Amino acid sequence: MGRAFSYVILGGGVAAGYAALEFSKRGIFHGDLCIISEEPVVPYERPALSKGFLLPEGANEERLTPKWYREHGIELVLGTQVKSVDVRRMTLLTATGETISYKFLIIATGARALKLEEFGVTGSDAENVCYLRNLADATRLVNVMQSCVGGNAVVIGGGYIGMECAASLVINKIKVTMVFPEEHCMARLFTPKIADFYENYYKSKGVKFVKGTVLSSFEINSEGKVMAVILRDGTRLPTDMVVVGIGIRANTGLFEGQLALEKGGIKVNGRLQTSNSSVYAVGDVAAFPVKLFGEIRRLEHVDSARKSARHAVAAIMAPEKTGDFDYLPFFYSRVFALSWQFYGDSVGEVVHYGDFSGGTFGAYWVNKGQIVGAFLEGGSKEEYEAIAKITRLKPLVEDMAELESQGLNFAARVSQQPPPVIVSDAGLVVERPLYSWHSTAGVIVAASIVAFAYWYGRRRRRW
């Protein structure tokens, strides 16, 4: 028993939804596309789980409802695990025994949350220990939070999930202690100076930080609930609930031995095409060439998932009109009344600027004399666009002190300058960016983030 489709998307998160939308815009026929997902719900925006779903007011209406998929003739195979994939025969075998064949496959399997057991700590199955990677996790976390209002929570991890969940817990009137081994929060991106600002802000909201140590064990009562967290340095933290955010791992298992792997993900070319010409990979699972840095990267962020999904569909549907994926790495977060954006790469020497006492501030990363990364907290739409543009342009920095002095004004000024016209030795007139303080290349339009809202949040109590 089996079915055949022209296009199959494996996975049900952000990338799958954006790929489906792009397919529909390009005019596929009803019955051409199938989406297979282990989750029992239609593809959704995963950032909503930490940025909106956990907040008391919930979220807005989801645009791509099950009705939308039906109206566009897209087959949904939900709540179904794929047991194996044969990329040579272009087939997938589901846990129900059905064989699904394809002409083109888009792998959008994303990543899974790392569990405590992988670090030698048991207790993930305790009633009040929560992770946050999918809708089921979010629903469970909301239920546990509602039973702990006025109580204590321990958040294990100081990255994206830890910081955003901690903010949501505080807003839900729960006292929070964050535990992580690094010297400061968001260690993969934030400098100590930037991290200090956010940690102080969180402390003003009542959040406590225990840094430089890790979870050792749990104290669990006879009812299967964690009563206290024991840290490696011997500290005991009484708690009513635990949230774990210690990283993710790309879901590549179905393709090991069949497709080339790199950087912990599935290796793709500039068209998001894997080592098998009929198979593409997008989102967290894809390791793709970042033109700006001249190397393969695997980026764990929604912006990359959205844009890589659209590009892969374009490469499949209109290969002759689609070039290589030219992506500017982008990360952002919104917590409490704060909102920051980062573009590029956090390598090289850092130049901070702005008002770290609570106003607008940021930083530039300068590597080999060029700006390769830019961070901004509290900026306007135009200011965020400016730092995105100069990160793309990679202007030369001749004077670090002057860069620090000019701060955000540097990005605003440089991003508005037209590209120079350069006359080569051969007499040819060439438009080429001159990466210096006073002359930079033209305008790169800032990324437009599609405002998909989140139908699931307002219905969470019904699931």
Side-chain angles (χ1 to χ4, degrees):
M1 175 176 132
R3 288 182 284 173
F5 298 89
S6 296
Y7 315 104
V8 170
I9 300 170
L10 180 57
V14 175
Y18 275 75
L21 184 60
E22 188 67 22
F23 271 123
S24 72
K25 288 179 178 178
R26 290 177 177 270
I28 59 169
F29 295 107
H30 281 223
D32 271 356
L33 173 61
C34 172
I35 297 177
I36 308 173
S37 174
E38 284 189 25
E39 295 193 64
V41 293
V42 296
Y44 59 92
E45 290 269 19
R46 220 169 281 279
L49 301 181
S50 61
K51 291 180 172 66
F53 192 93
L54 304 184
L55 300 180
E57 64 269 21
N60 300 319
E61 291 299 317
E62 168 61 25
R63 186 174 300 175
L64 300 189
T65 63
K67 180 182 177 183
W68 183 90
Y69 286 94
R70 287 195 301 271
E71 290 175 345
H72 288 79
I74 298 172
E75 187 74 20
L76 295 174
V77 182
L78 305 177
T80 301
Q81 181 183 13
V82 170
K83 294 186 66 175
S84 64
V85 179
D86 189 329
V87 299
R88 185 175 60 84
R89 296 184 177 181
M90 303 165 74
T91 59
L92 303 92
L93 178 65
T94 72
T96 62
E98 181 180 19
T99 298
I100 295 177
S101 62
Y102 60 85
K103 292 181 180 177
F104 292 97
L105 173 66
I106 294 181
I107 303 168
T109 49
R112 64 173 180 81
L114 291 174
K115 294 299 182 73
L116 292 170
E117 282 72 12
E118 297 175 66
F119 297 88
V121 178
T122 59
S124 287
D125 57 349
E127 183 180 329
N128 55 342
V129 173
C130 304
Y131 292 81
L132 185 60
R133 185 62 191 172
N134 57 37
L135 189 61
D137 291 339
T139 301
R140 183 167 180 267
L141 179 50
V142 167
N143 292 334
V144 173
M145 282 169 51
Q146 290 173 345
S147 69
C148 294
V149 173
N152 298 301
V154 174
V155 174
I156 306 296
Y160 259 109
I161 293 299
M163 294 296 284
E164 294 188 348
C165 283
S168 295
L169 289 163
V170 169
I171 292 170
N172 281 276
K173 304 186 186 311
I174 297 172
K175 296 181 284 292
V176 177
T177 300
M178 295 188 68
V179 177
F180 47 85
E182 297 86 6
E183 294 181 358
H184 58 77
C185 67
M186 294 290 292
R188 290 171 61 183
L189 174 59
F190 287 179
T191 66
K193 185 178 180 69
I194 293 173
D196 190 57
F197 169 83
Y198 290 100
E199 289 182 13
N200 285 334
Y201 189 96
Y202 272 57
K203 289 174 184 176
S204 75
K205 300 292 185 180
V207 177
K208 298 178 181 178
F209 289 88
V210 180
K211 299 181 282 188
T213 188
V214 296
L215 169 68
S216 175
S217 62
F218 292 132
E219 284 185 13
I220 301 177
N221 65 14
S222 58
E223 298 175 353
K225 293 178 103 175
V226 172
M227 303 301 293
V229 169
I230 310 300
L231 305 182
R232 187 169 59 188
D233 62 5
T235 302
R236 180 182 184 274
L237 302 173
T239 191
D240 299 293
M241 65 178 292
V242 178
V243 179
V244 182
I246 52 177
I248 61 176
R249 181 164 294 156
N251 292 317
T252 61
L254 289 170
F255 303 95
E256 291 176 7
Q258 299 192 78
L259 299 176
L261 305 180
E262 190 168 330
K263 300 288 179 71
I266 296 172
K267 183 180 180 180
V268 297
N269 61 21
R271 301 166 69 81
L272 287 312
Q273 191 175 41
T274 71
S275 53
N276 181 290
S277 61
S278 297
V279 181
Y280 293 70
V282 298
D284 290 356
V285 77
F288 64 91
V290 179
K291 279 187 176 183
L292 200 63
F293 307 137
E295 64 180 45
I296 297 286
R297 296 279 182 96
R298 189 176 66 81
L299 300 175
E300 300 168 356
H301 198 269
V302 61
D303 186 66
S304 172
R306 291 165 173 157
K307 291 175 181 173
S308 62
R310 289 196 292 253
H311 195 89
V313 174
I316 291 170
M317 300 289 285
E320 70 288 346
K321 297 179 180 178
T322 306
D324 287 344
F325 188 41
D326 189 7
Y327 181 69
L328 173 64
F330 168 57
F331 303 89
Y332 72 93
S333 185
R334 296 184 298 271
V335 291
F336 296 116
L338 305 175
S339 177
W340 59 260
Q341 294 185 16
F342 172 85
Y343 294 88
D345 202 7
S346 55
V347 297
E349 188 175 350
V350 182
V351 173
H352 298 96
Y353 63 86
D355 179 10
F356 277 80
S357 66
T360 299
F361 66 86
Y364 298 114
W365 279 257
V366 180
N367 191 41
K368 297 178 181 179
Q370 290 179 294
I371 288 181
V372 297
F375 174 96
L376 180 61
E377 163 64 43
S380 66
K381 178 177 180 290
E382 293 74 20
E383 289 167 340
Y384 286 128
E385 289 175 351
I387 67 166
K389 289 173 185 175
I390 67 160
T391 306
R392 171 77 73 178
L393 294 171
K394 298 173 68 175
L396 286 173
V397 173
E398 298 172 352
D399 188 328
M400 299 289 278
E402 187 179 353
L403 177 63
E404 180 179 8
S405 174
Q406 293 203 15
L408 190 55
N409 289 333
F410 170 75
R413 178 173 55 79
V414 169
S415 65
Q416 292 171 3
Q417 292 179 350
V421 175
I422 300 173
V423 181
S424 71
D425 292 338
L428 299 175
V429 178
V430 183
E431 265 198 21
R432 189 180 64 190
L434 175 62
Y435 295 134
S436 70
W437 271 89
H438 305 294
S439 182
T440 59
V443 175
I444 306 297
V445 178
S448 173
I449 306 304
V450 179
F452 276 3
Y454 314 110
W455 169 63
Y456 311 102
R458 297 180 69 173
R459 299 189 59 195
R460 61 178 181 256
R461 293 181 183 175
R462 296 178 59 184
W463 290 331

